Amino acid sequence: MHLTCSTTSILIILLMKIFAVGMNYKEHNKELHEPLSKTTSPVIFIMPDSALSKDHKPFFIPDDLGVIEYETEVVVRICRLGKTISSRFAHRYYDAVTVGIDFTARELQQQLRAKGLPWELCKSFDGAATIGDWMDIDKFQDIQRLQFHLDVNGSTVQKGFTGDMFYKIDELIAYISRYFTLKTGDLLFTGTPAGVGPVHIDDHLEGYLEDYKVLDFNCK
């Protein structure tokens, strides 16, 4: 079967993997007391498709996972099959970008990290990966020089610039594709800058990519 960027949404859902990058911004690492440097390999984890929330649907805050914090991130969409991709060709493998929220059960994450355990329970629960509307990457001159931010209840709470990433998007795609075959419809959450914080019932979240509002939903 030949897969293209125009593959139907039903087929994409069946094939989709969600990759996420942890600790990819220096200032965020400082607020988590993690002195991670560029000499360390990217921190990669995977979410199931049940973690995905889109189309501006509300986020239902779990009542049994403790404090849930937002982590605003740039998300890219993979548009073709690829394995062991070179960084210089990685730009050919994604076609769209948006802003997403990687919701994190922070207290649970701290417990898991203290024990050296995986992060999936605190990062990959149902609805934890919220994404906004997709924008064609051709709308932007350089995907690695994008400003993005999150507003909660009308106030800006988190700002980011993709140029501040430890590992750039093309580097991440090259690294991930050494271990996993990338397929049309896979998503890549590229990491969050500093400024994460808790969400509460009735919070209204709006995410912006440059001046475009691509994310708009409520917490329930």
Side-chain angles (χ1 to χ4, degrees), residues 115-127:
K115 297 176 182 178
L117 297 175
W119 291 2
E120 276 73 13
L121 293 180
C122 68
K123 287 277 195 177
S124 304
F125 51 88
D126 288 354

Side-chain angles (χ1 to χ4, degrees), residues 4 7 20-21 27 30 47 51 53 60 63 70 79 88-89 95 118 136 142 146 162 169-170 172 187 207:
T4 68
T7 304
V21 183
E27 295 304 315
K30 286 182 179 180
M47 305 183 200
S53 179
F60 291 91
D63 57 10
Y70 56 77
C79 69
R88 63 180 177 146
F89 297 127
D95 65 344
D136 195 301
D142 185 351
L146 295 178
T162 57
I169 293 169
D170 290 355
L172 292 170
L187 307 182

Side-chain angles (χ1 to χ4, degrees), residues 88-99:
R88 63 180 177 146
F89 297 127
H91 66 278
R92 301 177 181 177
Y93 287 81
Y94 52 92
D95 65 344
V97 62
T98 191
V99 168

